[in-house]
Amino acid sequence: MSAIVAFFTGKNFMLVLMATLQTLEMTFLSTLLSVLLGFPLGVLLCVTNPLGIMPRPVLNQVLSRIVNVLRSFPFIILMIILMPLSRLIIGTSIGTEATIIPLSIAAAPFVARVIETSLNEVDKGVISAARAMGSTNWQIIWKVLIPESLPGIVSGITLTIINLISYSAMAGAIGGGGLGDLAIRYGYQRFRPGIMIAAVIIILVLVEIVQFLGTKLSNKLMSKR
């Protein structure tokens, strides 16, 4: 008991607290940016497929291949490749802020597929009814497709946030900051298992909280349909 009290009142606690705040910052900002990048791409993938409301098979195939290629990259490799871009935008290729760039780009294709899948699950009868009432393509997208698919979109973004938490932990292996960096540098390399265990527990708690809130919001939206 005294060891636990000492941990939470000493320098270790401040290290864990700062690392947790860095992970939250990386996750929040990269989620926001990845949704901004992936949402319109997902909508475009949905509406341009051969059965979509604006069929463009060639464009759809090109976008689909790009998304597949980006999704196939292991995150660590992608982060190394994007270091020059982070240095160009942020001014550095290491640290919390620099990690946000590769995190966002890595998650954007996943978001795009999530949005595409959710929109494709909307009942075609609802779309046909909107079309019969004279709705334009943009009206169908904003007033039919997106509202009807919101529960699935929320569930998908919840999974995205969970993936980003794990990605941010992996980023710690190459100086990305956050709980992963704390676990590696202070826990593993300095033989302080207490810090490593604390980092793992906090990551697990964050995932559980995100999953709980995401599921609750998705169910609430589903009940209102």
Side-chain angles (χ1 to χ4, degrees), residues 4-21 179 182 192 195 198 202:
I4 297 176
V5 173
F7 179 87
F8 283 102
T9 54
K11 292 182 179 179
N12 289 344
F13 175 72
M14 292 306 299
L15 287 173
V16 173
L17 177 61
M18 291 302 298
T20 302
L21 293 177
L179 290 167
L182 178 74
R192 299 166 72 180
I195 291 181
I202 293 173

Short mmCIF file of all heavy atoms in Angstrom, two decimals, residues 4-21 179 182 192 195 198 202:
data_model
loop_
_atom_site.label_atom_id
_atom_site.label_comp_id
_atom_site.label_asym_id
_atom_site.label_seq_id
_atom_site.Cartn_x
_atom_site.Cartn_y
_atom_site.Cartn_z
N ILE A 4 2.22 2.06 -3.42
CA ILE A 4 1.23 2.67 -4.30
C ILE A 4 1.09 4.15 -3.98
O ILE A 4 1.04 5.00 -4.87
CB ILE A 4 -0.13 1.96 -4.17
CG1 ILE A 4 0.01 0.50 -4.63
CG2 ILE A 4 -1.21 2.69 -4.97
CD1 ILE A 4 -1.26 -0.31 -4.46
N VAL A 5 1.03 4.46 -2.68
CA VAL A 5 0.92 5.86 -2.26
C VAL A 5 2.13 6.65 -2.72
O VAL A 5 2.03 7.77 -3.23
CB VAL A 5 0.77 5.95 -0.72
CG1 VAL A 5 0.83 7.41 -0.27
CG2 VAL A 5 -0.54 5.31 -0.29
N ALA A 6 3.31 6.05 -2.57
CA ALA A 6 4.54 6.73 -2.99
C ALA A 6 4.55 6.98 -4.49
O ALA A 6 5.01 8.02 -4.96
CB ALA A 6 5.76 5.88 -2.59
N PHE A 7 4.01 6.01 -5.24
CA PHE A 7 3.98 6.17 -6.71
C PHE A 7 3.11 7.36 -7.11
O PHE A 7 3.47 8.16 -7.96
CB PHE A 7 3.46 4.88 -7.35
CG PHE A 7 3.36 4.97 -8.84
CD1 PHE A 7 4.46 4.66 -9.62
CD2 PHE A 7 2.20 5.35 -9.47
CE1 PHE A 7 4.40 4.74 -11.00
CE2 PHE A 7 2.12 5.43 -10.85
CZ PHE A 7 3.23 5.13 -11.61
N PHE A 8 1.94 7.47 -6.51
CA PHE A 8 1.00 8.51 -6.90
C PHE A 8 1.27 9.85 -6.24
O PHE A 8 0.52 10.80 -6.45
CB PHE A 8 -0.43 8.06 -6.59
CG PHE A 8 -0.97 7.08 -7.60
CD1 PHE A 8 -1.02 5.73 -7.31
CD2 PHE A 8 -1.40 7.50 -8.85
CE1 PHE A 8 -1.49 4.82 -8.24
CE2 PHE A 8 -1.87 6.61 -9.78
CZ PHE A 8 -1.92 5.26 -9.47
N THR A 9 2.30 9.95 -5.44
CA THR A 9 2.62 11.24 -4.84
C THR A 9 4.01 11.73 -5.25
O THR A 9 4.42 12.82 -4.87
CB THR A 9 2.56 11.16 -3.29
OG1 THR A 9 3.41 10.09 -2.84
CG2 THR A 9 1.13 10.91 -2.82
N GLY A 10 4.73 10.93 -6.00
CA GLY A 10 6.08 11.31 -6.39
C GLY A 10 6.17 11.76 -7.83
O GLY A 10 5.17 12.09 -8.48
N LYS A 11 7.41 11.75 -8.35
CA LYS A 11 7.67 12.18 -9.72
C LYS A 11 7.03 11.24 -10.74
O LYS A 11 6.69 11.65 -11.84
CB LYS A 11 9.18 12.27 -9.95
CG LYS A 11 9.86 13.38 -9.16
CD LYS A 11 11.35 13.42 -9.47
CE LYS A 11 12.03 14.54 -8.69
NZ LYS A 11 13.49 14.60 -8.97
N ASN A 12 6.88 9.98 -10.36
CA ASN A 12 6.27 9.02 -11.27
C ASN A 12 4.87 9.45 -11.69
O ASN A 12 4.47 9.30 -12.85
CB ASN A 12 6.21 7.63 -10.63
CG ASN A 12 7.57 6.98 -10.50
OD1 ASN A 12 8.52 7.41 -11.14
ND2 ASN A 12 7.67 5.96 -9.67
N PHE A 13 4.13 9.97 -10.72
CA PHE A 13 2.76 10.39 -11.00
C PHE A 13 2.74 11.51 -12.03
O PHE A 13 1.91 11.51 -12.95
CB PHE A 13 2.07 10.85 -9.72
CG PHE A 13 0.70 11.41 -9.95
CD1 PHE A 13 -0.35 10.60 -10.28
CD2 PHE A 13 0.48 12.79 -9.85
CE1 PHE A 13 -1.62 11.12 -10.50
CE2 PHE A 13 -0.78 13.32 -10.08
CZ PHE A 13 -1.83 12.49 -10.40
N MET A 14 3.65 12.46 -11.91
CA MET A 14 3.70 13.57 -12.86
C MET A 14 4.08 13.08 -14.25
O MET A 14 3.56 13.57 -15.26
CB MET A 14 4.69 14.63 -12.38
CG MET A 14 4.24 15.36 -11.12
SD MET A 14 2.58 16.09 -11.29
CE MET A 14 2.83 17.21 -12.67
N LEU A 15 4.99 12.11 -14.31
CA LEU A 15 5.36 11.54 -15.60
C LEU A 15 4.16 10.88 -16.28
O LEU A 15 3.91 11.09 -17.46
CB LEU A 15 6.48 10.51 -15.41
CG LEU A 15 7.88 11.03 -15.09
CD1 LEU A 15 8.81 9.86 -14.78
CD2 LEU A 15 8.43 11.85 -16.25
N VAL A 16 3.42 10.09 -15.51
CA VAL A 16 2.25 9.40 -16.06
C VAL A 16 1.17 10.40 -16.45
O VAL A 16 0.53 10.27 -17.50
CB VAL A 16 1.70 8.38 -15.04
CG1 VAL A 16 0.39 7.78 -15.53
CG2 VAL A 16 2.71 7.28 -14.79
N LEU A 17 0.98 11.43 -15.63
CA LEU A 17 -0.03 12.44 -15.92
C LEU A 17 0.29 13.19 -17.21
O LEU A 17 -0.58 13.36 -18.08
CB LEU A 17 -0.13 13.43 -14.77
CG LEU A 17 -1.12 14.60 -14.95
CD1 LEU A 17 -2.54 14.07 -15.14
CD2 LEU A 17 -1.06 15.56 -13.78
N MET A 18 1.52 13.62 -17.37
CA MET A 18 1.91 14.35 -18.58
C MET A 18 1.79 13.46 -19.81
O MET A 18 1.33 13.90 -20.87
CB MET A 18 3.35 14.86 -18.43
CG MET A 18 3.52 15.98 -17.42
SD MET A 18 2.49 17.43 -17.78
CE MET A 18 3.16 17.92 -19.37
N ALA A 19 2.20 12.20 -19.69
CA ALA A 19 2.10 11.27 -20.81
C ALA A 19 0.64 11.03 -21.18
O ALA A 19 0.30 10.93 -22.37
CB ALA A 19 2.79 9.96 -20.47
N THR A 20 -0.23 10.95 -20.18
CA THR A 20 -1.66 10.75 -20.45
C THR A 20 -2.24 11.95 -21.19
O THR A 20 -3.01 11.80 -22.15
CB THR A 20 -2.42 10.53 -19.13
OG1 THR A 20 -1.87 9.40 -18.44
CG2 THR A 20 -3.90 10.28 -19.40
N LEU A 21 -1.87 13.15 -20.76
CA LEU A 21 -2.36 14.36 -21.43
C LEU A 21 -1.85 14.42 -22.87
O LEU A 21 -2.58 14.84 -23.79
CB LEU A 21 -1.91 15.60 -20.65
CG LEU A 21 -2.54 15.78 -19.27
CD1 LEU A 21 -1.95 17.01 -18.57
CD2 LEU A 21 -4.05 15.91 -19.37
N LEU A 179 1.85 7.90 -23.72
CA LEU A 179 1.98 6.76 -22.83
C LEU A 179 2.90 5.69 -23.40
O LEU A 179 3.60 5.00 -22.65
CB LEU A 179 0.59 6.17 -22.54
CG LEU A 179 -0.31 7.04 -21.67
CD1 LEU A 179 -1.75 6.54 -21.71
CD2 LEU A 179 0.20 7.07 -20.23
N LEU A 182 6.39 6.80 -22.73
CA LEU A 182 6.64 6.65 -21.28
C LEU A 182 6.94 5.20 -20.93
O LEU A 182 7.89 4.91 -20.21
CB LEU A 182 5.42 7.14 -20.50
CG LEU A 182 5.51 7.00 -18.98
CD1 LEU A 182 6.46 8.04 -18.41
CD2 LEU A 182 4.14 7.14 -18.34
N ARG A 192 11.78 -0.02 -14.92
CA ARG A 192 10.81 0.44 -13.91
C ARG A 192 9.44 -0.09 -14.31
O ARG A 192 8.64 0.60 -14.93
CB ARG A 192 10.83 1.96 -13.82
CG ARG A 192 12.21 2.51 -13.41
CD ARG A 192 12.33 4.00 -13.64
NE ARG A 192 11.56 4.76 -12.69
CZ ARG A 192 11.50 6.10 -12.68
NH1 ARG A 192 12.19 6.79 -13.57
NH2 ARG A 192 10.77 6.73 -11.80
N ILE A 195 5.95 1.88 -13.85
CA ILE A 195 5.55 2.90 -14.81
C ILE A 195 4.95 2.24 -16.05
O ILE A 195 3.95 2.70 -16.60
CB ILE A 195 6.75 3.79 -15.19
CG1 ILE A 195 7.15 4.64 -14.00
CG2 ILE A 195 6.42 4.67 -16.39
CD1 ILE A 195 8.30 5.59 -14.26
N ALA A 198 1.49 1.04 -15.22
CA ALA A 198 0.57 2.18 -15.11
C ALA A 198 0.17 2.69 -16.48
O ALA A 198 -1.01 2.99 -16.73
CB ALA A 198 1.24 3.30 -14.30
N ILE A 202 -3.71 2.64 -17.97
CA ILE A 202 -4.38 3.87 -18.42
C ILE A 202 -4.86 3.73 -19.86
O ILE A 202 -5.97 4.17 -20.20
CB ILE A 202 -3.44 5.08 -18.27
CG1 ILE A 202 -3.18 5.36 -16.79
CG2 ILE A 202 -4.05 6.32 -18.93
CD1 ILE A 202 -2.14 6.42 -16.53
#
